[in-house]
């Protein structure tokens, strides 16, 4: 039987409803979707640890029977091959995502011509949502409950109520 497994890699610091929207769309067209948190991210200090991010994703994907979550290190193409995945899922929110995503897709194709990158667009209402913006708005007291899963709201709050927080 011919089944398609795809990897949805990212930082997910933290998971947003935009990510979840993409997961739902991806899960409809591939047989198996693996959300994979990159452990060796070059993005600077994350707000949430990898196990914290994994836990929030695990809770949010409970309703999907063909979606799982894991972590990986190193090259995405190596991880995809290990997993027997034929495709990588990535999201495009706006033109600003395009250039970086295009470069990554081309580089991954160079490294493994067999691996395809699949791009999907989220619902319009999530096109402006990013993990970075969520953290920034939350830190300044803004309400993000409509933009992230409930457990993420809870965990964001828990991060803030530490003693000596400025
Ligand atoms: N609101 C959103 N709607 C659709 N796709 C998104 C959204 N936010 C992030 N993505 C996509 O999800 C993937 C992972 O994003 P992110 O967690 O920021 O990790 P990365 O560090 O790889 O960019 C990327 O392809 C990104 O474009
Ligand atoms: Mg990003």
């Amino acid at each position: 039987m011919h089944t398609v497994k795809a990897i949805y890699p990212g930082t997910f610091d933290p998971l947003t409803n935009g990510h979840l929207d993409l997961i739902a769309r991806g899960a409809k067209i591939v047989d198996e979707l693996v959300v994979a948190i990159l452990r060796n991210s070059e993005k600077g200090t994350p707000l949430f640890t990898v196990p914290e991010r994994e836990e929030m994703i695990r809770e949010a994907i409970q309703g999907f029977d063909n979606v799982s979550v894991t972590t990986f290190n190193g090259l995405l193409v190596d991880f995809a091959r290990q997993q027997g995945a034929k495709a990588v899922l990535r999201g495009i929110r706006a033109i600003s995502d395009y250039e970086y995503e295009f470069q990554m897709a081309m580089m991954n194709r160079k490294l493994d011509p067999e691996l395809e990158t699949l791009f999907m667009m989220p619902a319009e209402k999530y096109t402006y949502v990013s993990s970075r913006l969520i953290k920034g708005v939350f830190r300044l007291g803004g309400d993000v409950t409509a933009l992230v899963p409930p457990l993420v709201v809870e965990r964001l709050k828990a991060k803030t109520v530490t003693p000596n927080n400025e």
Side-chain angles (χ1 to χ4, degrees):
M1 210 181 73
H2 184 84
T3 61
V4 178
K5 183 174 181 175
I7 309 286
Y8 180 31
T11 310
F12 305 108
D13 184 40
L15 181 77
T16 70
N17 286 346
H19 290 129
L20 258 186
D21 179 280
L22 217 73
I23 289 170
R25 288 171 201 280
K28 281 196 294 190
I29 62 157
V30 302
D31 298 296
E32 206 182 330
L33 186 64
V34 179
V35 181
I37 306 165
L38 177 63
R39 294 200 300 269
N40 57 330
S41 175
E42 288 168 10
K43 271 187 169 177
T45 314
L47 177 61
F48 293 101
T49 65
V50 170
E52 285 172 333
R53 283 178 261 161
E54 190 173 359
E55 194 195 344
M56 289 183 275
I57 294 171
R58 183 157 291 126
E59 159 78 23
I61 60 172
Q62 265 183 17
F64 301 97
D65 57 8
N66 61 341
V67 182
S68 60
V69 60
T70 189
T71 69
F72 77 107
N73 233 328
L75 279 180
L76 175 62
V77 292
D78 292 336
F79 176 68
R81 203 177 289 133
Q82 261 170 41
Q83 292 276 314
K86 286 192 180 72
V88 169
L89 175 66
R90 294 287 290 180
I92 299 273
R93 287 163 289 193
I95 294 292
S96 49
D97 279 334
Y98 178 80
E99 196 168 342
Y100 173 72
E101 293 294 339
F102 177 82
Q103 282 188 349
M104 289 286 292
M106 288 302 136
M107 181 57 82
N108 284 333
R109 177 174 285 169
K110 181 76 184 164
L111 296 171
D112 183 355
E114 295 298 306
L115 187 69
E116 295 295 342
T117 303
L118 229 111
F119 290 107
M120 295 188 90
M121 283 157 292
E124 273 174 78
K125 61 181 173 184
Y126 297 132
T127 49
Y128 65 95
V129 176
S130 71
S131 300
R132 185 181 53 80
L133 207 49
I134 293 290
K135 287 179 282 192
V137 168
F138 184 82
R139 201 172 288 131
L140 297 175
D143 182 12
V144 296
T145 49
L147 306 175
V148 294
L151 183 58
V152 174
V153 178
E154 216 175 278
R155 293 300 163 85
L156 279 168
K157 285 180 179 157
K159 282 274 177 207
T160 337
V161 285
T162 46
N164 296 328
N165 208 318
E166 9 95 63

